[in-house]
Amino acid sequence: MKAFILKERNHAEIAQVGSPILENEYGAKIKPTLVSVCTSDINTVYGTGSKKPKNLILGHEGIGEIIEVGRKVADFKVGDQVLIPSMTPNWLHPDVEDGNILHAGANFSANALSRSKGGVFAEECIVDFADMNLALLPENVDREEALMCADMVTTGFSGAESLDIKYGDCIAVFGIGAVGLMAIQGAVLKGAGRIFAIGSKSVNMALAKKYGATDSISYKTEDVVEYILRETAYRGVDGVIICGGDDSVFSQAMQVCRYGVGRIANLKLFTGDGDMSFSKFHSGRGMAGKQIFMELGKGGRRRMERLLSLLQYGRIAAKDLVTHRFCGYEGLSEAFALMRKKEEGLIKTAISLNEE
Ligand code: ZN
């Protein structure tokens, strides 16, 4: 079958590979039909992360059609149109009992697709524990919007959830790419009052406002920390969601986070080695009562169903995230190159694998 693979470090390509074999009797084999390239796919190829399996099939954001189900799958059948979430936890591991779903049994165990096993950039892929991981696509939900639930919506919302937002809380979102934009919508749904969105690209700044940010701050023209502190009478914000920025963003988040009850949720991948640092002073020399959460987008069928329901009933919008559309594997290769360049105006891609 055709697939888009990590051939070797710094090189991805279209290749012919063997079809995956469905071994997990709770699993399903799916034909991905619409996929999106994630920044983490770019990091998998060009980054400094852990060593990846040879000829790893990339991609973990997709929707598709079920073409085979394991013997013990109860709720899905061949022909079902499903959302394939980026996180597919091992629901049989006892760590799940502790609420440790994403890292059950091993660090990043739920981050299996395109990391430890073949991803969705292929004619066929396998998802284990289909009844727990997949979600049926509601008929009246736009397919591109549904696709955004695989990673962008669930990840952005994980940030808003970690902050435990109370009605009227003041929130700052650093980095307003796709995840940051969804974090803003998540914060709005959770009841945030004032929301500072920190970015620079005009398209993203406009979308941040559309999705509910009250202030959009360009880090290119403003001292972001000073702006937020001034605007909050030097009290700081109740919650910070980090979705982008350079390595200094963690320190900035600590500086604007309110003493006593402030929370920082990190969703950004800090690539490379070295430290994630903040000053002793701004953390109250370790006693400021500010909490830090390091998150990944949550997975799970019920969660995906709930997110799809938000789209179905118009509570959130994700259509604007898809700025570039492609067809087939050549299109996928093009989309991948474009995501790497991150040119102005690009937020997310959608690649239809049905047509060539
Ligand atoms: Zn992703």
Side-chain angles (χ1 to χ4, degrees):
M1 66 171 185
K2 210 180 260 188
F4 190 68
I5 64 165
L6 167 69
K7 187 69 187 164
E8 58 197 68
R9 187 159 291 235
N10 298 325
H11 181 69
E13 66 178 33
I14 304 165
Q16 283 293 333
V17 299
S19 289
I21 294 160
L22 182 60
E23 283 163 345
N24 181 313
E25 52 194 357
Y26 296 96
K29 190 188 268 197
I30 302 158
K31 176 185 167 56
T33 51
L34 190 70
V35 298
S36 186
V37 181
C38 181
T39 309
S40 41
D41 291 313
I42 307 298
N43 286 322
T44 300
V45 176
Y46 301 102
T48 52
S50 59
K51 195 167 170 9
K52 303 295 185 301
K54 199 168 180 287
N55 295 338
L56 177 71
I57 298 171
L58 297 164
H60 54 255
E61 300 180 18
I63 63 178
E65 181 177 325
I66 294 187
I67 51 176
E68 187 184 342
V69 290
R71 199 165 58 83
K72 292 192 172 159
V73 172
D75 296 339
F76 294 94
K77 59 181 190 313
V78 171
D80 283 348
Q81 305 293 315
V82 292
L83 168 64
I84 310 164
S86 54
M87 294 295 143
T88 51
N90 174 0
W91 294 99
L92 282 187
H93 196 281
D95 283 356
V96 170
E97 281 182 38
D98 298 330
N100 185 2
I101 292 163
L102 296 176
H103 306 277
N107 298 347
F108 295 102
S109 58
N111 187 194
L113 292 172
S114 74
R115 189 169 185 276
S116 55
K117 56 187 284 183
V120 300
F121 294 168
E123 289 177 275
E124 296 176 359
C125 75
I126 297 220
V127 171
D128 294 339
F129 309 107
D131 284 327
M132 301 287 277
N133 281 327
L134 299 174
L136 266 186
L137 289 183
E139 265 174 23
N140 55 349
V141 168
D142 181 275
R143 289 167 78 245
E144 287 181 353
E145 287 202 293
L147 175 65
M148 292 300 112
C149 289
D151 191 348
M152 302 300 107
V153 181
T154 186
T155 303
F157 277 36
S158 290
E161 288 164 320
S162 296
L163 298 187
D164 192 21
I165 295 169
K166 290 177 277 303
Y167 295 123
D169 268 358
C170 184
I171 304 297
V173 178
F174 281 78
I176 47 172
V179 170
L181 290 168
M182 293 302 105
I184 290 169
Q185 287 204 63
V188 169
L189 279 182
K190 286 278 184 186
R194 193 169 188 182
I195 300 176
F196 297 100
I198 298 103
S200 69
K201 294 176 179 165
S202 56
V203 176
N204 302 56
M205 298 285 256
L207 274 179
K209 279 277 174 83
K210 179 177 172 181
Y211 289 161
T214 51
D215 300 60
S216 52
I217 314 170
S218 169
Y219 62 83
K220 289 195 171 157
T221 56
E222 292 283 347
D223 179 333
V224 173
V225 169
E226 178 54 29
Y227 183 106
I228 293 173
L229 289 176
R230 189 178 65 235
E231 289 294 315
T232 56
Y234 293 90
R235 191 169 86 144
V237 295
D238 302 294
V240 184
I241 307 176
I242 302 174
C243 305
D246 60 22
D247 279 3
S248 73
V249 71
F250 202 56
S251 156
Q252 293 174 51
M254 188 59 79
Q255 290 179 60
V256 301
C257 185
R258 190 180 162 200
Y259 270 68
V261 292
R263 293 184 175 205
I264 299 170
N266 180 65
L267 302 171
K268 172 186 145 64
L269 174 75
F270 284 79
T271 54
D273 300 318
D275 300 329
M276 295 166 64
S277 59
F278 47 79
S279 76
K280 289 180 182 173
F281 177 77
H282 293 106
S283 63
R285 312 211 184 277
M287 298 178 177
K290 306 179 185 186
Q291 296 182 69
I292 298 167
F293 296 81
M294 300 185 183
E295 299 291 345
L296 268 172
K298 294 184 176 68
R301 171 177 165 190
R302 291 292 186 235
R303 179 178 180 82
M304 292 305 132
E305 288 171 347
R306 286 195 294 272
L307 296 180
L308 289 168
S309 156
L310 290 174
L311 286 172
Q312 198 174 2
Y313 295 101
R315 303 290 185 198
I316 59 168
K319 188 80 177 168
D320 303 301
L321 296 187
V322 180
T323 54
H324 291 61
R325 294 168 176 85
F326 301 86
C327 283
Y329 283 82
E330 289 297 336
L332 174 53
S333 179
E334 213 179 310
F336 191 83
L338 214 64
M339 272 307 271
R340 191 182 175 204
K341 274 194 254 157
K342 276 203 171 156
E343 62 180 45
E344 173 92 35
L346 172 75
I347 302 179
K348 287 293 283 184
T349 58
I351 304 104
S352 170
L353 295 180
N354 273 336
E355 311 131 53
E356 277 300 316

